[in-house]
Amino acid sequence: MSIVSCAATAAVPAAAPRFAGLRRVAGPAALNRDVEQPSAVTLQVSGRSNSRASRRCVATMAGTGRFVVGGNWKCNGNTASIQKLVQDLNAGEITADVEVICAPPMIYLPRVQSTLDRKYQLSAQNCWVGEGGAFTGEVAAEMLADNNIPWVILGHSERRALLGESDEFIGQKVAYAISKGLSVMACIGETLEERERGDTLNVCRRQLQAIVNCISPADWAKVVIAYEPVWAIGTGKVATPVEAQETHAGIRKYMAEAVSPAVASAVRIQYGGSVNAGNCEELARCEDIDGFLVGGASLDGAAFVTICNSARFNN
Ligand code: PEP
């Protein structure tokens, strides 16, 4: 069986580079300019817009990527409800500012692929850690690629908690999926207990480090990080914009230290956890939130379209 092997423990460099407060400005030229800034600070309070800053920021570094929204349908739906959802999605107008990816249950992927408008891309919700073979019930990354499914969600907290997927296993899955040409929404996030004992960023860093150990800096172009606090998933309890922004900025800072400032700026970080049509706007205004991974509300076509279009508030 072919599985990508990973460095066991690649520690964060002690003398990590200082990170320029990168702005969401288009184009590689802007990116290079920011990376080269000599007077970089570790965290930079936004000075872009006073009204927006007060609403959205604790400290900002800001990604440069296009807003990206994923809809994780999980293990929900049947032929009739999925047909209706596809109709509602097809009827929705989606702003050009956003990339949208729908993740139906595996068995409905071909049906959705043949009926869903091309303004939406498709994702699987999981794939196997290595090459296909005697792995009952699994689907291999090369099978997804063979069926023109470009994305896969890996490391979702439900799989971590219910199926015992470890950080290392997820790191290997991410590497193998990328090696087969897939793009990955890689989920990380802390439990309530971990947040309450002040470990939110430690957990995110540990989960990300397992991926960093397995993929090259260039591979991060194929990864979207989905920060999903476990206590907010499916609970109706959403992180406040301040909480979400603070963690996203911490994740970006970690990426600058563990990979590079350029990757930290380019990598897109989605927020996931009870995002809905009512709360998406204020979250989208957060400078380090580059999109959403949406569970429950992605089953409602109109609500999901509203969430996708909240990309307009993120610039
Ligand atoms: C999820 O499971 O990825 C998720 C974010 O779910 P919800 O939006 O229902 O909290």
Side-chain angles (χ1 to χ4, degrees):
M1 173 175 66
S2 147
I3 297 182
V4 177
S5 65
C6 310
T9 46
V12 177
R18 300 172 80 208
F19 183 41
L22 298 171
R23 291 282 170 252
R24 192 186 304 279
V25 282
L31 186 64
N32 292 339
R33 184 203 64 212
D34 281 334
V35 169
E36 284 160 12
Q37 263 179 9
S39 59
V41 292
T42 304
L43 283 179
Q44 178 169 316
V45 175
S46 173
R48 290 201 310 170
S49 147
N50 290 343
S51 60
R52 282 190 65 188
S54 60
R55 202 168 40 231
R56 65 156 125 90
C57 295
V58 280
T60 66
M61 292 184 279
T64 51
R66 185 163 168 228
F67 209 71
V68 55
V69 176
N72 178 7
W73 300 2
K74 308 195 186 186
C75 190
N76 290 298
N78 54 35
T79 302
S81 69
I82 286 182
Q83 191 178 352
K84 160 100 172 60
L85 179 52
V86 166
Q87 272 168 8
D88 292 346
L89 289 171
N90 288 350
E93 275 195 28
I94 300 289
T95 171
D97 303 337
V98 67
E99 184 176 356
V100 187
I101 304 144
C102 295
M106 198 75 80
I107 196 165
Y108 294 107
L109 261 172
R111 182 185 298 267
V112 174
Q113 190 174 36
S114 64
T115 53
L116 189 66
D117 194 283
R118 291 284 189 268
K119 62 193 170 208
Y120 304 103
Q121 299 177 63
L122 283 177
S123 175
Q125 298 173 16
N126 176 46
C127 66
W128 180 235
V129 67
E131 192 181 344
F135 307 107
T136 305
E138 289 291 340
V139 167
E142 59 269 21
M143 296 174 182
L144 296 176
D146 186 39
N147 282 277
N148 300 314
I149 305 298
W151 286 87
V152 63
I153 296 171
L154 293 174
H156 193 281
S157 67
E158 285 153 12
R159 295 195 65 88
R160 289 177 188 265
L162 302 174
L163 297 158
E165 293 194 2
S166 67
D167 298 339
E168 291 70 27
F169 189 64
I170 292 160
Q172 289 180 340
K173 280 184 160 198
V174 171
Y176 188 77
I178 290 172
S179 78
K180 295 296 150 190
L182 300 183
S183 296
V184 177
M185 285 179 274
C187 305
I188 59 167
E190 82 288 1
T191 62
L192 185 57
E193 198 192 337
E194 289 162 341
R195 172 162 282 261
E196 284 174 348
R197 56 166 201 257
D199 270 341
T200 295
L201 278 173
N202 290 336
V203 170
C204 293
R205 283 193 283 252
R206 191 198 70 221
Q207 292 173 340
L208 283 170
Q209 185 69 54
I211 301 174
V212 169
N213 290 346
C214 291
I215 69 175
S216 72
D219 287 338
W220 283 95
K222 302 281 278 180
V223 179
V224 168
I225 298 169
Y227 167 60
E228 301 203 296
V230 179
W231 48 271
I233 294 180
T235 58
K237 257 192 237 168
V238 65
T240 65
V242 169
E243 286 170 332
Q245 168 58 32
E246 186 172 45
T247 308
H248 281 230
I251 290 168
R252 211 179 293 284
K253 178 171 180 285
Y254 163 81
M255 291 299 292
E257 293 164 355
V259 188
S260 74
V263 167
S265 174
V267 73
R268 294 175 291 175
I269 309 174
Q270 296 170 317
Y271 169 78
S274 298
V275 175
N276 60 38
N279 60 29
C280 56
E281 177 181 332
E282 59 174 358
L283 287 163
R285 288 183 188 280
C286 294
E287 195 157 6
D288 282 289
I289 292 184
D290 307 311
F292 300 121
L293 184 53
V294 185
S298 71
L299 299 171
D300 175 330
F304 188 64
V305 167
T306 300
I307 293 168
C308 294
N309 287 332
S310 69
R312 293 191 186 115
F313 302 108
N314 181 271
N315 50 45

